[in-house]
Amino acid sequence: MKIQPPLPLYTSEQIRTLERAVFDGGETAEQLMARAGEALFSVLRNEWPDARTIGVLLGSGQNAGDGLVLARLARAEGFYVSLFGWYRPEQLHGAAHQAWVELKTECPDVVVMHERGEVAVQGGFDVIVDAGFGIGLSHQRPLSAEAVDWIEYVNAARQDGANVLAADLPSGLIADTGSAGPVVQADVTVCFLAMKIGLVTGRGPAVSGRIVLADLGIPSRKDPPRKQTPDVQLVLGAESFPPKPRDGHKGRFGTVLIVAGNRGMMGAARMAAEAALRIGAGKVIVATHPEHAATLAIGRPELIVHGLDAATVLDELLVQADAIVLGPGLGRDDWAKQMAARVLSTQLPLIIDADGLGFLLPSAVMNSLRIMTPHPGEAARLLGCTVAEIEQDRLAAARALSDRFGMLGVLKGAGSVLFLPDELRVCGRGSPALATAGSGDVLAGMIGGLLALGIVPSEALPRAVCWHALAWELLAEQSGAWGAVASDLFEPIRAVVNGRANGLANDRVTLPPANVSLWR
């Protein structure tokens, strides 16, 4: 599997700055819109070569102009095209108005409908092009009732068999955050100029379908201004390990100490421990509650298990460790508090997950050897807010966690957000199969294994997150997403680590070939 280098993710303001730089360089808004419409039509023909009946949803902004350019090109090639939406195209401004004038001039018989009833009478569409909103939507600019009504129409038509192609972003999706209320469900989204943050985190992965980046020729022709260079990157994979050295031995590959598993929660400790083994750690020691110490390693005798009554016994194990995982199934009782206090006093590379997060204290000092791995519910508790607030702006939540606790980490979820020194990254891989108990325990163990191997935390974290996501994709491709459980993941992890998942396609984001732009 070819690994794409990290891809910059842009905010809406950074996109506007890029556009201004393009216009300052001699391009016009009309030229840029023409390319966007051409790219949109090219994708439509490639994706649905048998389509003949096209509906175009128009809003009030320049995004509508991209749809109008497509409509003109489609009519010129004999497609049946109808326009509809909450805004009359003759009232558009700027380049979008010019696109409307050109369409009416070349295709005076173009059908424009303003009521859902008219569209229903017209009949079904092969493809609906969503040109309702581009990057202009924000929390301060909510959807109108009319816009919501048309979004609901498009989604109902999709349920009835229409395909949906979104121009830049699905209408209703906020470009900077990936949050959304009512939103168009797209099958394919053609993203213009550069990737937007909202497409790959929050609701974006669920509603954008496959994303095609159409750079419109701009990145190869003009460097973006330094003042708006993004500090957020999209990662789509990680290189597999090189061949294991023939003279290797277990001491060379590090020792992971898993401090986890209170009464009734042995499974969390077991999954983290086995994940550390599967990622390549030479030795894994589990410090767990004595109640189940004798049974934790059943079926996995390679694990070294110690049942601890008191934290003082941890000292004997800490001296053997190259990295520590604290928290899976740890609980919050006195036993857990003792274990957490002792582990948090060490200076070893440390992953803090699950219940371990509840023992963290704010820190103004960055400790780059520590990694936290909260899901949205845990992040909400740590930041004293609601899960809805976390999901409304996942990047802001990740920055807040980094600032408050002074460590690296990942805010898990759709489009997991990694907070690293001086930058954020969003993982663009994964499968809904991973939405199951124990998935996070496996990830924590994987990170621990990489740290024990001597990989620095700022490299171990994104590698583990991507491999975890890819392993879930591989599992889902083999057996389907429903019914997958975290313990199914160990063989796929082994395959990904060894480069045996090369047939796994990236079906989420399509990038233009180097120096080739997606427009005619």
Side-chain angles (χ1 to χ4, degrees):
M1 179 176 58
K2 184 179 179 181
I3 304 299
Q4 293 282 351
L7 186 70
L9 292 173
Y10 286 68
T11 66
S12 54
E13 184 53 41
Q14 289 167 341
I15 289 291
R16 292 187 183 98
T17 302
L18 177 59
E19 288 176 339
R20 287 193 293 269
V22 170
F23 300 150
D24 290 344
E27 304 277 351
T28 68
E30 288 78 11
Q31 288 172 327
L32 203 61
M33 183 172 289
R35 292 176 187 165
E38 290 166 4
L40 198 62
F41 185 46
S42 175
V43 171
L44 186 151
R45 288 188 303 182
N46 289 336
E47 291 290 328
W48 302 288
D50 297 328
R52 301 309 301 164
T53 304
I54 311 299
V56 183
L57 174 69
L58 301 177
S60 59
Q62 296 304 293
N63 194 239
D66 305 327
L68 291 169
V69 172
L70 173 141
R72 176 171 55 81
L73 296 172
R75 285 290 295 124
E77 293 200 12
F79 287 75
Y80 298 96
V81 180
S82 299
L83 310 178
F84 52 85
W86 62 89
Y87 200 80
R88 294 179 181 274
E90 61 269 19
Q91 296 176 330
L92 291 167
H93 298 282
H97 177 73
Q98 180 61 33
W100 166 246
V101 171
E102 291 176 2
L103 173 61
K104 281 295 290 181
T105 300
E106 296 183 23
C107 312
D109 60 342
V110 65
V111 176
V112 184
M113 296 173 285
H114 301 293
E115 302 292 336
R116 281 185 58 170
E118 293 180 77
V119 182
V121 170
Q122 191 270 349
F125 298 103
D126 297 323
V127 180
I128 294 177
V129 178
D130 169 21
F133 284 102
I135 61 175
L137 198 64
S138 69
H139 296 295
Q140 290 72 43
R141 184 193 175 193
L143 292 167
S144 67
E146 270 191 306
V148 171
D149 193 48
W150 281 109
I151 287 172
E152 290 175 348
Y153 163 73
V154 172
N155 288 339
R158 182 175 181 272
Q159 289 293 317
D160 289 338
N163 299 289
V164 177
L165 175 65
D168 213 17
L169 292 105
S171 289
L173 186 69
I174 296 179
D176 292 351
T177 65
S179 60
V183 59
V184 164
Q185 174 69 62
D187 296 292
V188 179
T189 297
V190 181
C191 177
F192 302 132
L193 283 181
M195 287 292 292
K196 284 78 176 177
I197 292 167
L199 288 171
V200 294
T201 193
R203 294 289 304 285
V207 301
S208 302
R210 189 168 65 82
I211 301 166
V212 179
L213 175 59
D215 63 23
L216 310 184
I218 299 306
S220 62
R221 296 165 61 163
K222 191 173 188 69
D223 293 329
R226 291 182 61 84
K227 65 181 180 180
Q228 60 89 57
T229 300
D231 62 354
V232 184
Q233 305 283 324
L234 176 68
V235 288
L236 296 170
E239 296 288 349
S240 56
F241 276 150
K244 199 168 187 177
R246 295 182 66 87
D247 61 347
H249 55 82
K250 67 180 181 183
R252 185 171 172 180
F253 305 122
T255 297
V256 182
L257 174 61
I258 310 287
V259 183
N262 208 325
R263 290 184 181 90
M265 293 182 282
M266 176 182 72
R270 165 66 182 267
M271 284 186 286
E274 185 161 353
L277 281 176
R278 292 295 187 179
I279 204 97
K283 185 168 66 173
V284 177
I285 303 171
V286 184
T288 192
H289 196 279
E291 184 177 277
H292 51 245
T295 57
L296 189 145
I298 292 175
R300 185 52 59 214
E302 298 87 351
L303 297 174
I304 302 167
V305 182
H306 292 265
L308 305 187
D309 287 310
T312 52
V313 189
L314 264 179
D315 292 342
E316 301 173 16
L317 304 179
L318 289 169
V319 296
Q320 303 178 50
D322 297 296
I324 310 171
V325 176
L326 172 71
L330 186 68
R332 298 298 305 275
D333 62 8
D334 288 340
W335 180 85
K337 290 176 184 177
Q338 290 182 52
M339 297 296 160
R342 182 65 192 92
V343 170
L344 291 170
S345 68
T346 71
Q347 297 304 312
L348 289 167
L350 173 62
I351 301 93
I352 304 126
D353 181 50
D355 292 331
L357 295 166
F359 297 103
L360 286 178
L361 295 175
S363 174
V365 179
M366 168 59 72
N367 185 339
S368 60
L369 293 179
R370 293 191 170 183
I371 295 173
M372 62 191 307
T373 57
H375 58 54
E378 292 161 343
R381 289 192 291 274
L382 290 168
L383 295 175
C385 63
T386 66
V387 173
E389 289 172 305
I390 296 292
E391 294 291 62
Q392 187 176 53
D393 192 337
R394 289 170 51 79
L395 272 70
R399 290 188 178 100
L401 288 165
S402 177
D403 291 344
R404 183 171 177 80
F405 295 99
M407 63 183 73
L408 314 185
V410 55
L411 175 59
K412 296 180 289 194
S416 291
V417 182
L418 297 88
F419 37 106
L420 304 169
D422 304 320
E423 72 168 347
L424 299 181
R425 296 187 188 179
V426 177
C427 178
R429 304 302 296 257
S431 162
L434 63 76
T436 186
S439 182
D441 304 322
V442 171
L443 175 61
M446 292 174 69
I447 302 169
L450 293 179
L451 294 179
L453 284 162
I455 299 174
V456 298
S458 60
E459 295 178 12
L461 176 60
R463 182 175 289 222
V465 169
C466 284
W467 277 353
H468 182 257
L470 289 166
W472 278 112
E473 284 187 29
L474 184 59
L475 179 64
E477 184 178 83
Q478 292 170 343
S479 307
W482 286 107
V485 296
S487 57
D488 292 336
L489 203 60
F490 300 127
E491 283 302 323
I493 289 171
R494 186 179 176 191
V496 170
V497 167
N498 285 286
R500 302 298 176 87
N502 291 335
L504 191 63
N506 171 23
D507 60 357
R508 275 284 295 143
V509 181
T510 299
L511 307 179
N515 301 318
V516 177
S517 300
L518 186 59
W519 59 280
R520 293 176 180 271

